[in-house]
Amino acid sequence: MTSFIEWDFLTDFIEKAFAAYGVPQEDAKICTDILLQADKKGIESHGVNRFKPIYIDRIKAGIQNPITKFDIVRETPTTAVVDGHDGMGQVIGHQSMQLAIDKAKEYGMGMVAVRNSTHYGIAGYYTDMAAEAGCIGMSGTNARPSIAPTFSVENKLGTNPLTVSFPTDEEFPFLLDCATSIIQRGKIELYERQGTDTPAGAVIGRDGSAMTDSPEILKALQTGNAALAPLGGIGEKLSGYKGYGYATIVEVLSAALQQGNFLSMLSGIGENGEKAKYHLGHFFIAIDTEAFMGLESFKKTAGDILRELRAAEKAPDADRIYTPGEKEYLVWQERQKTGLPVNESVQKELIEIRNEAGLTDYYFPFEE
């Protein structure tokens, strides 16, 4: 049964839990904020659902370092290359985007490329940082192989989001944060927890057939016997080559500028089948709108564009038209009142973490 947890309670618990597994207190706050921001926006595939399997379990397995070492290995006034030494991806991402913003505020534009990082949560968190600073923000990351190139059945590319935010004169920024595959691995993990099938056409088996059984898909992705279809779908009929192309752009920008790992090198599996560090790459771009015609004029024009799009004639069965970032904003308007809905699978994980970390003072509402 789904239970709701109040945000302040959950924030405090997750911060303490990160710290219990060796993450410094200030870093734990950043990691918690980014993790919960996903849930606040309704992006549950990257929220508390991933707290244990993606972060805690990887720290325990020794393939992610709880203490983050952030080294700038090359820098110019507008660019930097960072080595994250396989620390906490959220901390690396937060510092990297802030560095890009600082450069943009001084020189108009800033870009930071990162190597040797780990899963950094929702890319939109970092691009929203830029939007809040009056900048256009862009970010992307490579990931363990999941997407098959067009006309292939082998998973080579990660889900590789290409994410953009910019400020508007509305109550929320424009935010486009989505994978370059039809579906991302985290969503399939969520389907598995919910006991539901993955939609047909989103995953292709090694024999070229569509796969829908969520637990089977997750196992097959790990062994290389399944792959995600790129945006547009399998083959060329629905322009799957476009998603394939965008995923490749993100892969190159996440590896070539910083001379990091890419494609099959990101499997997280060692030579003998053991768990290994992922060594992910990211990139962060900030463009200061003041360097052009000014922040306020940019926000007004951006807002006018979005409002005209929402005022377009609706399809007969449609209630309204949305623009990117709007649905996430509306989810938060509701969830800040209700708290976070947590399913039974995640409830068990939270209890396990609490008991293992010795945080026995925390009693969850679903235990009543």
Side-chain angles (χ1 to χ4, degrees):
M1 174 183 259
T2 297
S3 177
F4 289 84
I5 304 179
E6 193 268 334
W7 292 106
D8 287 344
F9 175 91
L10 193 58
T11 299
D12 190 59
F13 170 75
I14 291 177
E15 283 182 12
K16 293 288 197 310
F18 269 126
Y21 287 94
V23 180
Q25 184 175 356
E26 289 305 309
D27 289 357
K29 289 182 179 179
I30 292 172
C31 293
T32 300
D33 191 34
I34 295 171
L35 184 76
L36 292 184
Q37 196 64 226
D39 284 317
K40 290 176 180 180
K41 291 176 179 291
I43 310 171
E44 295 175 5
S45 59
H46 282 61
V48 176
N49 277 288
R50 286 196 150 185
F51 182 37
K52 181 181 182 295
I54 299 297
Y55 304 109
I56 300 304
D57 286 355
R58 290 181 182 180
I59 291 172
K60 290 167 60 179
I63 60 173
Q64 180 165 326
N65 299 321
I67 298 176
T68 302
K69 185 180 178 184
F70 185 91
D71 280 340
I72 298 175
V73 298
R74 188 169 185 178
E75 188 172 20
T76 73
T78 58
T79 65
V81 177
V82 167
D83 193 319
H85 299 283
D86 303 297
M88 300 301 292
Q90 301 100 320
V91 177
I92 297 165
H94 191 277
Q95 292 189 40
S96 295
M97 180 52 93
Q98 189 58 58
L99 180 59
I101 292 168
D102 292 343
K103 289 178 178 295
K105 286 299 179 180
E106 187 167 0
Y107 297 103
M109 300 179 72
M111 181 172 184
V112 177
V114 175
R115 68 188 185 202
N116 295 326
S117 187
T118 58
H119 194 279
Y120 75 168
I122 52 169
Y125 183 94
Y126 310 103
T127 57
D128 275 356
M129 283 178 61
E132 288 169 10
C135 295
I136 298 166
M138 301 178 67
S139 184
T141 178
N142 57 19
R144 53 184 166 171
S146 297
I147 297 177
T150 301
F151 300 133
S152 172
V153 294
E154 182 179 3
N155 50 9
K156 281 291 185 182
L157 292 152
T159 48
N160 295 13
L162 182 59
T163 302
V164 180
S165 291
F166 49 72
T168 76
D169 62 357
E170 300 189 302
E171 294 179 337
F172 53 92
F174 172 99
L175 167 60
L176 181 65
D177 182 3
C178 52
T180 46
S181 57
I182 292 176
I183 197 171
Q184 71 270 37
R185 194 185 297 242
K187 193 66 176 287
I188 300 171
E189 292 169 354
L190 184 60
Y191 286 145
E192 180 192 37
R193 292 171 183 273
Q194 296 173 339
T196 58
D197 284 343
T198 297
V203 181
I204 184 172
R206 203 60 182 247
D207 61 357
S209 64
M211 298 180 67
T212 60
D213 184 275
S214 298
E216 182 185 350
I217 288 171
L218 291 173
K219 292 177 184 177
L221 285 171
Q222 192 68 26
T223 60
N225 290 314
L228 305 182
L231 283 172
I234 299 166
E236 286 190 328
K237 289 183 179 179
L238 295 176
S239 301
Y241 60 87
K242 295 180 181 179
Y244 166 37
Y246 285 125
T248 305
I249 289 171
V250 176
E251 192 77 31
V252 172
L253 292 177
S254 298
L257 291 171
Q258 53 278 67
Q259 288 300 283
N261 286 10
F262 54 86
L263 298 178
S264 301
M265 299 163 70
L266 304 171
S267 67
I269 301 173
E271 293 181 0
N272 300 312
E274 75 280 9
K275 292 182 179 179
K277 293 180 178 179
Y278 286 94
H279 305 305
L280 302 183
H282 321 304
F283 65 89
F284 304 86
I285 300 172
I287 304 169
D288 188 13
T289 56
E290 284 290 355
F292 293 84
M293 297 301 290
L295 173 60
E296 293 308 315
S297 62
F298 179 92
K299 290 168 66 175
K300 173 66 165 56
T301 300
D304 286 346
I305 291 169
L306 300 179
R307 285 185 286 273
E308 183 170 338
L309 289 171
R310 291 198 294 266
E313 182 178 354
K314 295 186 289 291
D317 58 347
D319 293 327
R320 62 184 294 182
I321 296 167
Y322 298 89
T323 49
E326 185 178 8
K327 282 190 174 182
E328 290 85 349
Y329 171 76
L330 294 173
V331 168
W332 173 232
Q333 297 311 296
E334 182 63 28
R335 286 194 171 180
Q336 64 182 316
K337 295 178 278 188
T338 65
L340 175 66
V342 178
N343 62 44
E344 291 185 13
S345 177
V346 176
Q347 292 171 21
K348 293 176 182 177
E349 290 181 350
L350 292 175
I351 290 173
E352 182 181 340
I353 290 171
R354 178 197 63 192
N355 295 342
E356 187 175 75
L359 301 172
T360 53
D361 290 342
Y362 290 86
Y363 188 83
F364 297 105
F366 49 76
E367 295 182 278
E368 295 177 358

